[in-house]
PDB file of all heavy atoms in Angstrom:
ATOM      1  N   ALA V 209     -16.523  21.487   9.805  1.00  0.00           N
ATOM      2  CA  ALA V 209     -16.348  21.963   8.427  1.00  0.00           C
ATOM      3  C   ALA V 209     -14.891  21.840   7.998  1.00  0.00           C
ATOM      4  O   ALA V 209     -14.605  21.426   6.867  1.00  0.00           O
ATOM      5  CB  ALA V 209     -16.838  23.408   8.314  1.00  0.00           C
ATOM      6  N   TYR V 210     -13.968  22.176   8.886  1.00  0.00           N
ATOM      7  CA  TYR V 210     -12.547  22.014   8.570  1.00  0.00           C
ATOM      8  C   TYR V 210     -12.224  20.540   8.288  1.00  0.00           C
ATOM      9  O   TYR V 210     -11.529  20.216   7.329  1.00  0.00           O
ATOM     10  CB  TYR V 210     -11.674  22.496   9.720  1.00  0.00           C
ATOM     11  CG  TYR V 210     -11.477  23.990   9.836  1.00  0.00           C
ATOM     12  CD1 TYR V 210     -11.161  24.561  11.059  1.00  0.00           C
ATOM     13  CD2 TYR V 210     -11.590  24.839   8.733  1.00  0.00           C
ATOM     14  CE1 TYR V 210     -10.943  25.923  11.189  1.00  0.00           C
ATOM     15  CE2 TYR V 210     -11.376  26.210   8.860  1.00  0.00           C
ATOM     16  CZ  TYR V 210     -11.056  26.741  10.084  1.00  0.00           C
ATOM     17  OH  TYR V 210     -10.839  28.092  10.206  1.00  0.00           O
ATOM     18  N   ALA V 211     -12.704  19.656   9.134  1.00  0.00           N
ATOM     19  CA  ALA V 211     -12.422  18.234   8.952  1.00  0.00           C
ATOM     20  C   ALA V 211     -12.933  17.751   7.601  1.00  0.00           C
ATOM     21  O   ALA V 211     -12.257  16.989   6.900  1.00  0.00           O
ATOM     22  CB  ALA V 211     -13.048  17.419  10.086  1.00  0.00           C
ATOM     23  N   ARG V 212     -14.103  18.192   7.226  1.00  0.00           N
ATOM     24  CA  ARG V 212     -14.700  17.762   5.958  1.00  0.00           C
ATOM     25  C   ARG V 212     -13.979  18.335   4.746  1.00  0.00           C
ATOM     26  O   ARG V 212     -14.107  17.807   3.655  1.00  0.00           O
ATOM     27  CB  ARG V 212     -16.159  18.180   5.903  1.00  0.00           C
ATOM     28  CG  ARG V 212     -17.044  17.467   6.895  1.00  0.00           C
ATOM     29  CD  ARG V 212     -18.421  18.041   6.755  1.00  0.00           C
ATOM     30  NE  ARG V 212     -19.379  17.420   7.636  1.00  0.00           N
ATOM     31  CZ  ARG V 212     -20.667  17.674   7.570  1.00  0.00           C
ATOM     32  NH1 ARG V 212     -21.139  18.521   6.667  1.00  0.00           N
ATOM     33  NH2 ARG V 212     -21.494  17.083   8.392  1.00  0.00           N
ATOM     34  N   THR V 213     -13.268  19.442   4.928  1.00  0.00           N
ATOM     35  CA  THR V 213     -12.540  20.036   3.808  1.00  0.00           C
ATOM     36  C   THR V 213     -11.059  19.683   3.846  1.00  0.00           C
ATOM     37  O   THR V 213     -10.255  20.293   3.148  1.00  0.00           O
ATOM     38  CB  THR V 213     -12.720  21.576   3.783  1.00  0.00           C
ATOM     39  OG1 THR V 213     -12.292  22.125   5.026  1.00  0.00           O
ATOM     40  CG2 THR V 213     -14.161  21.962   3.505  1.00  0.00           C
ATOM     41  N   GLY V 214     -10.701  18.708   4.677  1.00  0.00           N
ATOM     42  CA  GLY V 214      -9.334  18.215   4.706  1.00  0.00           C
ATOM     43  C   GLY V 214      -8.386  18.984   5.600  1.00  0.00           C
ATOM     44  O   GLY V 214      -7.184  18.730   5.594  1.00  0.00           O
ATOM     45  N   ARG V 215      -8.896  19.904   6.378  1.00  0.00           N
ATOM     46  CA  ARG V 215      -8.053  20.712   7.264  1.00  0.00           C
ATOM     47  C   ARG V 215      -8.065  20.112   8.667  1.00  0.00           C
ATOM     48  O   ARG V 215      -8.528  20.714   9.633  1.00  0.00           O
ATOM     49  CB  ARG V 215      -8.550  22.151   7.263  1.00  0.00           C
ATOM     50  CG  ARG V 215      -8.412  22.818   5.891  1.00  0.00           C
ATOM     51  CD  ARG V 215      -9.056  24.174   5.818  1.00  0.00           C
ATOM     52  NE  ARG V 215      -8.467  25.135   6.758  1.00  0.00           N
ATOM     53  CZ  ARG V 215      -8.874  26.388   6.866  1.00  0.00           C
ATOM     54  NH1 ARG V 215      -9.858  26.843   6.105  1.00  0.00           N
ATOM     55  NH2 ARG V 215      -8.309  27.196   7.739  1.00  0.00           N
ATOM     56  N   SER V 216      -7.514  18.918   8.801  1.00  0.00           N
ATOM     57  CA  SER V 216      -7.569  18.161  10.057  1.00  0.00           C
ATOM     58  C   SER V 216      -6.897  18.882  11.213  1.00  0.00           C
ATOM     59  O   SER V 216      -7.396  18.860  12.341  1.00  0.00           O
ATOM     60  CB  SER V 216      -6.939  16.784   9.873  1.00  0.00           C
ATOM     61  OG  SER V 216      -7.629  16.069   8.885  1.00  0.00           O
ATOM     62  N   GLY V 217      -5.759  19.510  10.961  1.00  0.00           N
ATOM     63  CA  GLY V 217      -5.065  20.233  12.028  1.00  0.00           C
ATOM     64  C   GLY V 217      -5.899  21.383  12.568  1.00  0.00           C
ATOM     65  O   GLY V 217      -5.988  21.579  13.785  1.00  0.00           O
ATOM     66  N   ASP V 218      -6.513  22.132  11.663  1.00  0.00           N
ATOM     67  CA  ASP V 218      -7.385  23.233  12.087  1.00  0.00           C
ATOM     68  C   ASP V 218      -8.611  22.703  12.823  1.00  0.00           C
ATOM     69  O   ASP V 218      -9.073  23.306  13.788  1.00  0.00           O
ATOM     70  CB  ASP V 218      -7.816  24.063  10.878  1.00  0.00           C
ATOM     71  CG  ASP V 218      -6.672  24.865  10.274  1.00  0.00           C
ATOM     72  OD1 ASP V 218      -5.747  25.248  11.021  1.00  0.00           O
ATOM     73  OD2 ASP V 218      -6.708  25.110   9.056  1.00  0.00           O
ATOM     74  N   ALA V 219      -9.136  21.564  12.358  1.00  0.00           N
ATOM     75  CA  ALA V 219     -10.285  20.948  13.027  1.00  0.00           C
ATOM     76  C   ALA V 219      -9.926  20.586  14.464  1.00  0.00           C
ATOM     77  O   ALA V 219     -10.665  20.893  15.400  1.00  0.00           O
ATOM     78  CB  ALA V 219     -10.750  19.710  12.265  1.00  0.00           C
ATOM     79  N   ALA V 220      -8.768  19.959  14.637  1.00  0.00           N
ATOM     80  CA  ALA V 220      -8.327  19.559  15.983  1.00  0.00           C
ATOM     81  C   ALA V 220      -8.181  20.779  16.887  1.00  0.00           C
ATOM     82  O   ALA V 220      -8.567  20.736  18.072  1.00  0.00           O
ATOM     83  CB  ALA V 220      -7.013  18.789  15.897  1.00  0.00           C
ATOM     84  N   LYS V 221      -7.662  21.884  16.346  1.00  0.00           N
ATOM     85  CA  LYS V 221      -7.516  23.111  17.140  1.00  0.00           C
ATOM     86  C   LYS V 221      -8.879  23.635  17.590  1.00  0.00           C
ATOM     87  O   LYS V 221      -9.028  24.075  18.734  1.00  0.00           O
ATOM     88  CB  LYS V 221      -6.797  24.183  16.324  1.00  0.00           C
ATOM     89  CG  LYS V 221      -5.322  23.909  16.142  1.00  0.00           C
ATOM     90  CD  LYS V 221      -4.686  24.971  15.266  1.00  0.00           C
ATOM     91  CE  LYS V 221      -3.252  24.605  14.948  1.00  0.00           C
ATOM     92  NZ  LYS V 221      -2.639  25.545  13.990  1.00  0.00           N
ATOM     93  N   MET V 222      -9.862  23.595  16.702  1.00  0.00           N
ATOM     94  CA  MET V 222     -11.194  24.080  17.064  1.00  0.00           C
ATOM     95  C   MET V 222     -11.835  23.203  18.135  1.00  0.00           C
ATOM     96  O   MET V 222     -12.410  23.712  19.100  1.00  0.00           O
ATOM     97  CB  MET V 222     -12.111  24.137  15.835  1.00  0.00           C
ATOM     98  CG  MET V 222     -11.833  25.278  14.890  1.00  0.00           C
ATOM     99  SD  MET V 222     -12.198  26.892  15.619  1.00  0.00           S
ATOM    100  CE  MET V 222     -10.537  27.497  15.889  1.00  0.00           C
ATOM    101  N   PHE V 223     -11.747  21.878  17.971  1.00  0.00           N
ATOM    102  CA  PHE V 223     -12.330  20.975  18.967  1.00  0.00           C
ATOM    103  C   PHE V 223     -11.646  21.157  20.325  1.00  0.00           C
ATOM    104  O   PHE V 223     -12.305  21.195  21.361  1.00  0.00           O
ATOM    105  CB  PHE V 223     -12.231  19.521  18.512  1.00  0.00           C
ATOM    106  CG  PHE V 223     -12.974  19.214  17.242  1.00  0.00           C
ATOM    107  CD1 PHE V 223     -12.468  18.302  16.336  1.00  0.00           C
ATOM    108  CD2 PHE V 223     -14.186  19.823  16.940  1.00  0.00           C
ATOM    109  CE1 PHE V 223     -13.147  18.006  15.160  1.00  0.00           C
ATOM    110  CE2 PHE V 223     -14.876  19.537  15.775  1.00  0.00           C
ATOM    111  CZ  PHE V 223     -14.351  18.624  14.882  1.00  0.00           C
ATOM    112  N   THR V 224     -10.327  21.290  20.313  1.00  0.00           N
ATOM    113  CA  THR V 224      -9.574  21.485  21.560  1.00  0.00           C
ATOM    114  C   THR V 224      -9.960  22.810  22.218  1.00  0.00           C
ATOM    115  O   THR V 224     -10.150  22.871  23.434  1.00  0.00           O
ATOM    116  CB  THR V 224      -8.064  21.422  21.288  1.00  0.00           C
ATOM    117  OG1 THR V 224      -7.753  20.136  20.719  1.00  0.00           O
ATOM    118  CG2 THR V 224      -7.261  21.618  22.560  1.00  0.00           C
ATOM    119  N   ALA V 225     -10.092  23.855  21.411  1.00  0.00           N
ATOM    120  CA  ALA V 225     -10.497  25.159  21.956  1.00  0.00           C
ATOM    121  C   ALA V 225     -11.884  25.084  22.580  1.00  0.00           C
ATOM    122  O   ALA V 225     -12.125  25.654  23.646  1.00  0.00           O
ATOM    123  CB  ALA V 225     -10.455  26.222  20.854  1.00  0.00           C
ATOM    124  N   ALA V 226     -12.797  24.354  21.944  1.00  0.00           N
ATOM    125  CA  ALA V 226     -14.151  24.201  22.504  1.00  0.00           C
ATOM    126  C   ALA V 226     -14.117  23.412  23.807  1.00  0.00           C
ATOM    127  O   ALA V 226     -14.837  23.741  24.754  1.00  0.00           O
ATOM    128  CB  ALA V 226     -15.068  23.523  21.491  1.00  0.00           C
ATOM    129  N   MET V 227     -13.272  22.383  23.860  1.00  0.00           N
ATOM    130  CA  MET V 227     -13.145  21.590  25.094  1.00  0.00           C
ATOM    131  C   MET V 227     -12.598  22.437  26.235  1.00  0.00           C
ATOM    132  O   MET V 227     -13.016  22.291  27.383  1.00  0.00           O
ATOM    133  CB  MET V 227     -12.194  20.397  24.873  1.00  0.00           C
ATOM    134  CG  MET V 227     -12.790  19.270  24.098  1.00  0.00           C
ATOM    135  SD  MET V 227     -11.589  17.972  23.637  1.00  0.00           S
ATOM    136  CE  MET V 227     -10.439  17.938  24.968  1.00  0.00           C
ATOM    137  N   ASN V 228     -11.656  23.325  25.921  1.00  0.00           N
ATOM    138  CA  ASN V 228     -10.975  24.113  26.943  1.00  0.00           C
ATOM    139  C   ASN V 228     -11.612  25.480  27.186  1.00  0.00           C
ATOM    140  O   ASN V 228     -11.114  26.255  27.999  1.00  0.00           O
ATOM    141  CB  ASN V 228      -9.509  24.306  26.555  1.00  0.00           C
ATOM    142  CG  ASN V 228      -8.766  22.992  26.542  1.00  0.00           C
ATOM    143  OD1 ASN V 228      -9.067  22.081  27.298  1.00  0.00           O
ATOM    144  ND2 ASN V 228      -7.789  22.875  25.648  1.00  0.00           N
ATOM    145  N   SER V 229     -12.695  25.761  26.498  1.00  0.00           N
ATOM    146  CA  SER V 229     -13.361  27.056  26.627  1.00  0.00           C
ATOM    147  C   SER V 229     -13.837  27.280  28.059  1.00  0.00           C
ATOM    148  O   SER V 229     -14.213  26.337  28.759  1.00  0.00           O
ATOM    149  CB  SER V 229     -14.564  27.107  25.680  1.00  0.00           C
ATOM    150  OG  SER V 229     -15.302  28.280  25.885  1.00  0.00           O
ATOM    151  N   ASN V 230     -13.832  28.542  28.476  1.00  0.00           N
ATOM    152  CA  ASN V 230     -14.363  28.853  29.811  1.00  0.00           C
ATOM    153  C   ASN V 230     -15.889  28.857  29.797  1.00  0.00           C
ATOM    154  O   ASN V 230     -16.510  29.024  30.831  1.00  0.00           O
ATOM    155  CB  ASN V 230     -13.805  30.180  30.330  1.00  0.00           C
ATOM    156  CG  ASN V 230     -14.179  31.361  29.457  1.00  0.00           C
ATOM    157  OD1 ASN V 230     -14.786  31.212  28.396  1.00  0.00           O
ATOM    158  ND2 ASN V 230     -13.799  32.548  29.898  1.00  0.00           N
ATOM    159  N   ARG V 231     -16.484  28.670  28.619  1.00  0.00           N
ATOM    160  CA  ARG V 231     -17.942  28.573  28.478  1.00  0.00           C
ATOM    161  C   ARG V 231     -18.297  27.149  28.084  1.00  0.00           C
ATOM    162  O   ARG V 231     -17.604  26.525  27.299  1.00  0.00           O
ATOM    163  CB  ARG V 231     -18.434  29.510  27.374  1.00  0.00           C
ATOM    164  CG  ARG V 231     -18.184  30.961  27.634  1.00  0.00           C
ATOM    165  CD  ARG V 231     -18.608  31.827  26.466  1.00  0.00           C
ATOM    166  NE  ARG V 231     -20.008  31.613  26.152  1.00  0.00           N
ATOM    167  CZ  ARG V 231     -20.530  31.851  24.964  1.00  0.00           C
ATOM    168  NH1 ARG V 231     -19.786  32.291  23.975  1.00  0.00           N
ATOM    169  NH2 ARG V 231     -21.816  31.654  24.743  1.00  0.00           N
ATOM    170  N   SER V 232     -19.381  26.660  28.633  1.00  0.00           N
ATOM    171  CA  SER V 232     -19.925  25.381  28.180  1.00  0.00           C
ATOM    172  C   SER V 232     -21.422  25.405  28.416  1.00  0.00           C
ATOM    173  O   SER V 232     -21.913  26.102  29.304  1.00  0.00           O
ATOM    174  CB  SER V 232     -19.287  24.190  28.904  1.00  0.00           C
ATOM    175  OG  SER V 232     -19.754  24.077  30.216  1.00  0.00           O
ATOM    176  N   PHE V 233     -22.134  24.683  27.590  1.00  0.00           N
ATOM    177  CA  PHE V 233     -23.583  24.601  27.704  1.00  0.00           C
ATOM    178  C   PHE V 233     -24.042  23.365  26.973  1.00  0.00           C
ATOM    179  O   PHE V 233     -23.269  22.722  26.260  1.00  0.00           O
ATOM    180  CB  PHE V 233     -24.270  25.858  27.145  1.00  0.00           C
ATOM    181  CG  PHE V 233     -23.650  26.401  25.889  1.00  0.00           C
ATOM    182  CD1 PHE V 233     -23.918  25.819  24.653  1.00  0.00           C
ATOM    183  CD2 PHE V 233     -22.798  27.483  25.940  1.00  0.00           C
ATOM    184  CE1 PHE V 233     -23.346  26.308  23.493  1.00  0.00           C
ATOM    185  CE2 PHE V 233     -22.215  27.983  24.777  1.00  0.00           C
ATOM    186  CZ  PHE V 233     -22.498  27.391  23.556  1.00  0.00           C
ATOM    187  N   ASP V 234     -25.295  23.013  27.180  1.00  0.00           N
ATOM    188  CA  ASP V 234     -25.858  21.857  26.511  1.00  0.00           C
ATOM    189  C   ASP V 234     -26.193  22.203  25.070  1.00  0.00           C
ATOM    190  O   ASP V 234     -26.669  23.297  24.783  1.00  0.00           O
ATOM    191  CB  ASP V 234     -27.108  21.357  27.232  1.00  0.00           C
ATOM    192  CG  ASP V 234     -26.777  20.673  28.543  1.00  0.00           C
ATOM    193  OD1 ASP V 234     -25.609  20.297  28.766  1.00  0.00           O
ATOM    194  OD2 ASP V 234     -27.700  20.515  29.354  1.00  0.00           O
ATOM    195  N   LEU V 235     -25.935  21.248  24.192  1.00  0.00           N
ATOM    196  CA  LEU V 235     -26.217  21.389  22.772  1.00  0.00           C
ATOM    197  C   LEU V 235     -27.203  20.317  22.352  1.00  0.00           C
ATOM    198  O   LEU V 235     -27.176  19.211  22.883  1.00  0.00           O
ATOM    199  CB  LEU V 235     -24.933  21.190  21.954  1.00  0.00           C
ATOM    200  CG  LEU V 235     -23.743  22.064  22.302  1.00  0.00           C
ATOM    201  CD1 LEU V 235     -22.501  21.583  21.571  1.00  0.00           C
ATOM    202  CD2 LEU V 235     -24.038  23.501  21.962  1.00  0.00           C
ATOM    203  N   VAL V 236     -28.046  20.631  21.400  1.00  0.00           N
ATOM    204  CA  VAL V 236     -28.886  19.626  20.773  1.00  0.00           C
ATOM    205  C   VAL V 236     -28.179  19.260  19.477  1.00  0.00           C
ATOM    206  O   VAL V 236     -28.009  20.098  18.588  1.00  0.00           O
ATOM    207  CB  VAL V 236     -30.311  20.149  20.482  1.00  0.00           C
ATOM    208  CG1 VAL V 236     -31.133  19.072  19.795  1.00  0.00           C
ATOM    209  CG2 VAL V 236     -30.988  20.602  21.766  1.00  0.00           C
ATOM    210  N   LEU V 237     -27.736  18.019  19.373  1.00  0.00           N
ATOM    211  CA  LEU V 237     -27.001  17.575  18.202  1.00  0.00           C
ATOM    212  C   LEU V 237     -27.943  17.322  17.034  1.00  0.00           C
ATOM    213  O   LEU V 237     -29.163  17.305  17.193  1.00  0.00           O
ATOM    214  CB  LEU V 237     -26.212  16.302  18.535  1.00  0.00           C
ATOM    215  CG  LEU V 237     -25.283  16.399  19.747  1.00  0.00           C
ATOM    216  CD1 LEU V 237     -24.533  15.099  19.928  1.00  0.00           C
ATOM    217  CD2 LEU V 237     -24.329  17.571  19.634  1.00  0.00           C
ATOM    218  N   ALA V 238     -27.377  17.102  15.877  1.00  0.00           N
ATOM    219  CA  ALA V 238     -28.172  16.898  14.664  1.00  0.00           C
ATOM    220  C   ALA V 238     -29.120  15.711  14.798  1.00  0.00           C
ATOM    221  O   ALA V 238     -30.178  15.690  14.187  1.00  0.00           O
ATOM    222  CB  ALA V 238     -27.256  16.708  13.464  1.00  0.00           C
ATOM    223  N   ASP V 239     -28.754  14.732  15.618  1.00  0.00           N
ATOM    224  CA  ASP V 239     -29.615  13.554  15.786  1.00  0.00           C
ATOM    225  C   ASP V 239     -30.619  13.724  16.925  1.00  0.00           C
ATOM    226  O   ASP V 239     -31.335  12.793  17.276  1.00  0.00           O
ATOM    227  CB  ASP V 239     -28.774  12.300  16.004  1.00  0.00           C
ATOM    228  CG  ASP V 239     -27.999  12.309  17.310  1.00  0.00           C
ATOM    229  OD1 ASP V 239     -28.020  13.321  18.041  1.00  0.00           O
ATOM    230  OD2 ASP V 239     -27.345  11.289  17.603  1.00  0.00           O
ATOM    231  N   GLY V 240     -30.673  14.924  17.524  1.00  0.00           N
ATOM    232  CA  GLY V 240     -31.623  15.190  18.597  1.00  0.00           C
ATOM    233  C   GLY V 240     -31.076  14.933  19.987  1.00  0.00           C
ATOM    234  O   GLY V 240     -31.700  15.295  20.980  1.00  0.00           O
ATOM    235  N   GLN V 241     -29.918  14.334  20.091  1.00  0.00           N
ATOM    236  CA  GLN V 241     -29.282  14.038  21.366  1.00  0.00           C
ATOM    237  C   GLN V 241     -28.825  15.340  22.040  1.00  0.00           C
ATOM    238  O   GLN V 241     -28.336  16.243  21.371  1.00  0.00           O
ATOM    239  CB  GLN V 241     -28.076  13.132  21.075  1.00  0.00           C
ATOM    240  CG  GLN V 241     -27.353  12.621  22.245  1.00  0.00           C
ATOM    241  CD  GLN V 241     -26.188  11.728  21.825  1.00  0.00           C
ATOM    242  OE1 GLN V 241     -25.553  11.187  22.693  1.00  0.00           O
ATOM    243  NE2 GLN V 241     -25.876  11.556  20.573  1.00  0.00           N
ATOM    244  N   VAL V 242     -28.968  15.439  23.347  1.00  0.00           N
ATOM    245  CA  VAL V 242     -28.509  16.599  24.100  1.00  0.00           C
ATOM    246  C   VAL V 242     -27.196  16.226  24.786  1.00  0.00           C
ATOM    247  O   VAL V 242     -27.098  15.178  25.430  1.00  0.00           O
ATOM    248  CB  VAL V 242     -29.553  17.046  25.146  1.00  0.00           C
ATOM    249  CG1 VAL V 242     -29.030  18.210  25.976  1.00  0.00           C
ATOM    250  CG2 VAL V 242     -30.862  17.417  24.462  1.00  0.00           C
ATOM    251  N   MET V 243     -26.203  17.109  24.625  1.00  0.00           N
ATOM    252  CA  MET V 243     -24.872  16.817  25.160  1.00  0.00           C
ATOM    253  C   MET V 243     -24.181  18.125  25.532  1.00  0.00           C
ATOM    254  O   MET V 243     -24.350  19.141  24.863  1.00  0.00           O
ATOM    255  CB  MET V 243     -24.063  16.085  24.074  1.00  0.00           C
ATOM    256  CG  MET V 243     -22.693  15.645  24.495  1.00  0.00           C
ATOM    257  SD  MET V 243     -21.847  14.775  23.129  1.00  0.00           S
ATOM    258  CE  MET V 243     -22.897  13.355  22.932  1.00  0.00           C
ATOM    259  N   ASN V 244     -23.373  18.096  26.571  1.00  0.00           N
ATOM    260  CA  ASN V 244     -22.586  19.255  26.962  1.00  0.00           C
ATOM    261  C   ASN V 244     -21.577  19.570  25.861  1.00  0.00           C
ATOM    262  O   ASN V 244     -21.020  18.674  25.237  1.00  0.00           O
ATOM    263  CB  ASN V 244     -21.864  18.990  28.281  1.00  0.00           C
ATOM    264  CG  ASN V 244     -21.066  20.188  28.731  1.00  0.00           C
ATOM    265  OD1 ASN V 244     -19.900  20.328  28.374  1.00  0.00           O
ATOM    266  ND2 ASN V 244     -21.697  21.062  29.496  1.00  0.00           N
ATOM    267  N   SER V 245     -21.328  20.858  25.632  1.00  0.00           N
ATOM    268  CA  SER V 245     -20.434  21.269  24.555  1.00  0.00           C
ATOM    269  C   SER V 245     -19.020  20.717  24.724  1.00  0.00           C
ATOM    270  O   SER V 245     -18.373  20.342  23.738  1.00  0.00           O
ATOM    271  CB  SER V 245     -20.390  22.796  24.436  1.00  0.00           C
ATOM    272  OG  SER V 245     -19.981  23.404  25.643  1.00  0.00           O
ATOM    273  N   ARG V 246     -18.538  20.612  25.942  1.00  0.00           N
ATOM    274  CA  ARG V 246     -17.187  20.055  26.150  1.00  0.00           C
ATOM    275  C   ARG V 246     -17.142  18.574  25.769  1.00  0.00           C
ATOM    276  O   ARG V 246     -16.189  18.103  25.153  1.00  0.00           O
ATOM    277  CB  ARG V 246     -16.759  20.242  27.603  1.00  0.00           C
ATOM    278  CG  ARG V 246     -16.421  21.668  27.922  1.00  0.00           C
ATOM    279  CD  ARG V 246     -15.766  21.818  29.292  1.00  0.00           C
ATOM    280  NE  ARG V 246     -15.434  23.209  29.504  1.00  0.00           N
ATOM    281  CZ  ARG V 246     -15.998  23.985  30.407  1.00  0.00           C
ATOM    282  NH1 ARG V 246     -16.922  23.503  31.221  1.00  0.00           N
ATOM    283  NH2 ARG V 246     -15.635  25.249  30.528  1.00  0.00           N
ATOM    284  N   THR V 247     -18.177  17.852  26.133  1.00  0.00           N
ATOM    285  CA  THR V 247     -18.253  16.437  25.778  1.00  0.00           C
ATOM    286  C   THR V 247     -18.357  16.268  24.269  1.00  0.00           C
ATOM    287  O   THR V 247     -17.684  15.414  23.684  1.00  0.00           O
ATOM    288  CB  THR V 247     -19.453  15.772  26.479  1.00  0.00           C
ATOM    289  OG1 THR V 247     -19.322  15.956  27.892  1.00  0.00           O
ATOM    290  CG2 THR V 247     -19.546  14.304  26.148  1.00  0.00           C
ATOM    291  N   ALA V 248     -19.183  17.083  23.632  1.00  0.00           N
ATOM    292  CA  ALA V 248     -19.338  17.013  22.177  1.00  0.00           C
ATOM    293  C   ALA V 248     -18.012  17.295  21.477  1.00  0.00           C
ATOM    294  O   ALA V 248     -17.645  16.601  20.518  1.00  0.00           O
ATOM    295  CB  ALA V 248     -20.408  17.992  21.708  1.00  0.00           C
ATOM    296  N   ALA V 249     -17.284  18.288  21.954  1.00  0.00           N
ATOM    297  CA  ALA V 249     -15.988  18.619  21.362  1.00  0.00           C
ATOM    298  C   ALA V 249     -14.989  17.487  21.557  1.00  0.00           C
ATOM    299  O   ALA V 249     -14.228  17.146  20.648  1.00  0.00           O
ATOM    300  CB  ALA V 249     -15.455  19.909  21.971  1.00  0.00           C
TER     301      ALA V 249
END
């Protein structure tokens, strides 16, 4: 949402935080693909 509203720096911070989170799990993406949250981030 940040990226789409032009807040690229905030978007990068969110993606980085998700990659570095101590939690991770599989996600079902909008296209139906299943991917680990760290990989998706």
Side-chain angles (χ1 to χ4, degrees):
Y210 281 155
R212 293 177 179 188
T213 57
R215 296 173 61 180
S216 300
D218 290 330
K221 287 177 187 174
M222 285 293 107
F223 298 144
T224 301
M227 284 172 33
N228 295 329
S229 174
N230 62 355
R231 297 176 57 204
S232 74
F233 40 79
D234 288 343
L235 305 170
V236 178
L237 306 182
D239 66 355
Q241 185 180 184
V242 177
M243 183 179 296
N244 181 271
S245 58
R246 287 190 178 113
T247 303

